Amino acid sequence: MGLNKTTRRRFLQGTGLAAAGVALRGAGGLLGQTASKGVDAHIDIVPGEPIGTIAPEIYSHFIEHLGGVIYDGVWVGEGSKIANVNGIRKAFIDTMKAVQAPVLRWPGGCFADSYDWHDGIGPGAKRPQRTGFWSQEDTNKYGTHEFMQTCKAIGCEPYLAANVRSLPPKDFYQWMEYCNAPAGTGNALADLRAANGDKEPFNVQYWGVGNESWGCGGNQTPEEYAGEYRRFTAYLPQYEGGKPLHLVVCGPNGDDVHWTSELGKALHGNHPWGLSTHYYTSGDAKKFAEGDALKFTDAEHYDLLARGAHMERIITDHWGALEETDPTHKTRLVIDEWGAWYGKGTQLNAHYNLSQQSTMRDALLSGITFDIFQKHADKMAMANVAQSINCIHSLMLAQEDKFTVTPVFHVFQMYMPHRGGTAVRAEFSAETIVNTLATVSPVGGNSAVGSIAPDQRLAGLSGSASISASNPKTMTLTVVNPHLDRVMTAEIAIAGASIAGVSGTVLAEADIHAHNDFAHPDAVKPRAAAMGTPVAGRLTHSFPAASVTSLQLRLA
Ligand code: AHR
């Protein structure tokens, strides 16, 4: 089976091979396999064509003062009967450790541009209660110190989003001073931090300058926001021995290339470390943030995955737009909000805004998304799932003493071996799936701006491959089979190497609607994949219907 024309064209464009005149073979895949009986697809991996190092930070996280994310999800309070570490839910910490969360973003989201960090420091009982962005009361019991303790307990780096809409630059650089100034030098904010319990600086390196400044962050034009960015970052405190600052500028809504292009020009030669880019996949083909997380048809399943796969164009379009003013790519992409966003109906609690269930469909979307990030490892600095617990595309659900992980958690874990490895070209040749809902125009609202047209087809098998940083003879191959009723048997070949051994895990359930809940926390979980034996250095593997698979290949 050969590549379809569009896939072939996009792949060649993405790698520059089209210009170099490299021809892919027709039938049988890139490495020239003959079409064998019972084989539906070919996966051809070319270790000699590295894409880039996979930043572990693309597996990062995000929590916001919203619904049941912070209060109940993360923070249960020191006196709680729920197992906790200094008030932080222990199960949250343990789960984030289990996926070795690299970075955690906080306090928003839209909440960040209404948040005054001064409210969240000092004795808990004296902190003021405020009405936060989501019209929700915030007791401020969870503030900067509690967030830093959360990161420390997990072993991850903090990523703070600063308020640009409703506070002046002084509050930004003083929050930085409060977090990063060394104690014992007479610095008043470092002394205040020490008096509040933390003598050692927090050493925060990741700072977002506002959030969604085209929307909740101030309804600004790219030119207006660029002026704010320049003003907010004209001076920032840095300390000897501290970590270098990584500034993240507010990027586009979905595929709004105009924003990125105009922002680049108006930054006048400023090249931040990262461009914050948000892309959500709506649960409904016509309306943003609608659709049912649990009840969906086969056609809706395929359509959601097809719209999720738009992530690839989000990456390549904005990378191209950045290039206009940053030809050497000093700025890389920080996709600090992504996931499937459904409407009401499956929330844990009536008061938990944006709380939703996650099924196997969301596991498949996670795999497709990570594989896209890895195919563009050279462009991706970080990505943060929205949001880690009790929210949109969550790894965990918690309510009081009840807790479960979701299928999304398992995909995070299954993709861990990729981290820090070198992503290499992996070519998938399989018949595509027709998306019957693709006639509907792109969804309105958040993430819809830009040029994305409905995708008529979804890849029949997709994935990514990487070579381990510690052992060049170990390769990780992750694969998503989106077919609801078709096992896909693929022949896997590696250019210039033989497959000598293989092991792996698979996440697959008979029903795509399968999910975990408090009564059935293990209803969905991965198992060891049934393996064949490599023959003549190639492996034939059957990927179950509606599955995510992670294979470890031993090369010879
Ligand atoms: O993640 C929920 C919200 O989605 C965030 O607060 C905002 O940045 C985005 O619109």
Side-chain angles (χ1 to χ4, degrees), residues 72 75-84 86-89 400-401:
D72 205 3
W75 180 255
V76 294
E78 280 148 332
S80 172
K81 64 178 189 332
I82 300 160
N84 69 86
N86 299 329
I88 304 152
R89 183 185 287 273
E400 295 162 7
D401 59 351

Side-chain angles (χ1 to χ4, degrees), residues 71-131:
Y71 298 107
D72 205 3
V74 178
W75 180 255
V76 294
E78 280 148 332
S80 172
K81 64 178 189 332
I82 300 160
N84 69 86
V85 179
N86 299 329
I88 304 152
R89 183 185 287 273
K90 187 172 178 304
F92 176 77
I93 294 171
D94 291 344
T95 307
M96 293 289 267
K97 278 166 104 167
V99 292
Q100 290 174 12
V103 177
L104 183 57
R105 177 178 185 244
W106 174 83
C110 293
F111 178 91
D113 277 294
S114 307
Y115 182 62
D116 185 340
W117 65 271
H118 298 96
D119 291 342
I121 60 170
K126 291 203 172 147
R127 296 185 195 174
Q129 178 169 322
R130 305 268 187 219
T131 306

Side-chain angles (χ1 to χ4, degrees), residues 62 64 109-110 134 211-212 278 280 337 341 387 392 446:
F62 167 39
E64 175 173 11
C110 293
W134 297 95
N211 171 78
E212 298 195 346
H278 293 179
Y280 286 103
E337 294 190 24
W341 187 332
Q387 301 186 10
I392 298 165
N446 193 341

Side-chain angles (χ1 to χ4, degrees), residues 392-413:
I392 298 165
H393 198 85
S394 295
L395 288 80
M396 295 165 252
L397 304 177
Q399 193 182 13
E400 295 162 7
D401 59 351
K402 297 185 281 296
F403 182 87
T404 184
V405 294
T406 70
V408 172
F409 159 79
H410 292 303
V411 180
F412 267 76
Q413 231 182 8

Side-chain angles (χ1 to χ4, degrees), residues 22 29 89 136 154 167 182 221 245 255 267 336 341 343 346 348 447 464 467 472 497 548-549:
V22 174
R89 183 185 287 273
Q136 193 175 329
I154 294 166
L167 288 178
T221 64
L245 295 180
D255 203 33
L267 284 176
D336 48 11
W341 187 332
T346 63
L348 287 173
S447 294
S464 63
I467 299 171
V548 181
T549 302

Side-chain angles (χ1 to χ4, degrees), residues 495-509:
S498 297
I499 301 173
V502 61
S503 62
T505 49
V506 61
L507 189 68
E509 297 295 330

